Amino acid sequence: MNIGQKIFRYGSVTSTNVILKELALEGFEPGTVVVSVIQTKGCGRLERAWDSPKGGLWLSVLLDTGGVQSGEKFGLIPLMTASAVADAMASTAALAARLKWPNDVLINGKKACGILGEILKVEGKQLAIVGIGLNVNNPVREGYEFSAVSTSVSEELGKDADLLELETAILSELANRNSLLNAGKYDQILNEWRGLSDTLGKRVKITTPTEEIEGIAKDVNESGSLVLERDGKVETIVAGDCEHFD
Ligand code: BTN
């Protein structure tokens, strides 16, 4: 099934990721999408809450990852989703979005979109859910997430944007990249992310549950981990929060 061929639309749900997981376990196929006007218990990365009032785009997509040969490549899913959102914002709203590792989409250095990727197995089949939270016409609570100042599409445009147009463009861009993933074209996904990255080349602070690490962001490796240079040594960071310094 193509991405977006079946879209469940709700006025209010706890979390579109949670609802989509239930639908996947009931047997709904990859390509299924859940969109909600509001979320009462939106989930962010690292078990944070995600503020989801009316006017934003809160959606989750069930992806087939059947062509992915090795689990370490699942790290590319949030990266390719971020690239898809950036391209959709460029084509529909003429906004030049940039990406912050691991999976934030920024406009003018402020976070407009967060992505929550999850892997699940249904009847032996490996699937992925990507949840996309894009501030569009909703008010944004400045600084509710410690490492990022937030913005929205309407704030950056100076007028409201068309939610459905953005949604359609994001789903179509995501479908293109999921085909690349399943065809093993990992370099294409990585190179696109590198080209859109605002993180690479910058001095950054990475906060993990156990430590804070400062260094220069050099690259992302073949599984989407951040390659950091610290005191002349190279380290690889799989997950964490990233703060840009310059
Ligand atoms: C982040 O912390 O940056 C990730 C935020 C992801 C939010 C989206 S909104 C749609 C989907 N449903 C959720 O509960 N979370 C994701």
Side-chain angles (χ1 to χ4, degrees):
M1 185 169 74
N2 294 330
I3 286 180
Q5 202 168 310
K6 176 100 195 131
I7 302 184
F8 288 86
R9 293 187 186 279
Y10 297 91
S12 172
V13 294
T14 49
S15 153
T16 53
N17 268 36
V18 170
I19 302 296
L20 185 55
K21 205 177 297 167
E22 288 169 9
L23 292 170
L25 293 171
E26 279 172 32
F28 282 92
E29 286 178 37
T32 303
V33 174
V34 170
V35 189
S36 186
V37 176
I38 64 166
Q39 297 183 114
T40 54
K41 258 189 159 180
C43 313
R45 291 177 56 244
L46 309 171
E47 303 190 352
R48 294 200 189 101
W50 182 260
D51 200 30
S52 318
K54 186 171 188 281
L57 187 55
W58 322 124
L59 66 89
S60 300
V61 186
L62 187 62
L63 296 176
D64 173 15
T65 59
V68 177
Q69 299 300 319
S70 140
E72 65 177 23
K73 300 296 179 200
F74 289 131
L76 301 183
I77 295 173
L79 300 191
M80 76 179 191
T81 306
S83 302
V85 172
D87 260 15
M89 292 207 296
S91 63
T92 60
L95 286 170
R98 308 278 296 162
L99 307 181
K100 180 158 81 89
W101 186 87
N103 39 17
D104 289 349
V105 184
L106 313 177
I107 316 173
N108 292 324
K110 298 180 191 173
K111 177 166 174 172
C113 176
I115 289 157
L116 183 66
E118 299 180 62
I119 297 296
L120 73 159
K121 237 189 187 150
V122 182
E123 289 172 1
K125 242 180 149 183
Q126 196 80 247
L127 304 177
I129 287 178
V130 276
I132 301 171
L134 176 59
N135 293 321
V136 184
N137 304 323
N138 54 300
V140 285
R141 274 206 280 150
E142 280 299 330
Y144 81 94
E145 189 187 317
F146 76 95
S147 66
V149 179
S150 303
T151 191
S152 68
V153 172
S154 67
E155 203 165 295
E156 299 299 324
L157 281 179
K159 60 176 183 182
D160 277 3
D162 188 326
L163 274 180
L164 194 58
E165 204 186 333
L166 272 165
E167 176 194 304
T168 308
I170 289 171
L171 295 180
S172 142
E173 296 290 353
L174 187 57
N176 294 340
R177 285 152 184 90
N178 201 46
S179 305
L180 290 179
L181 184 79
N182 282 327
K185 298 191 173 161
Y186 308 127
D187 279 348
Q188 239 171 289
I189 291 171
L190 284 164
N191 284 337
E192 182 183 36
W193 190 91
R194 289 177 178 123
L196 288 165
S197 169
D198 197 36
T199 298
L200 299 184
K202 284 207 164 121
R203 169 161 285 278
V204 297
K205 178 163 87 183
I206 308 294
T207 307
T208 74
T210 51
E211 59 178 339
E212 282 187 354
I213 310 161
E214 278 187 36
I216 308 289
K218 297 304 256 188
D219 199 5
V220 278
N221 73 8
E222 64 289 347
S223 29
S225 300
L226 188 68
V227 179
L228 197 73
E229 190 184 281
R230 174 161 69 151
D231 303 329
K233 289 199 196 104
V234 172
E235 293 182 31
T236 304
I237 319 278
V238 177
D241 262 318
C242 172
E243 205 176 326
H244 291 167
F245 282 126
D246 27 60

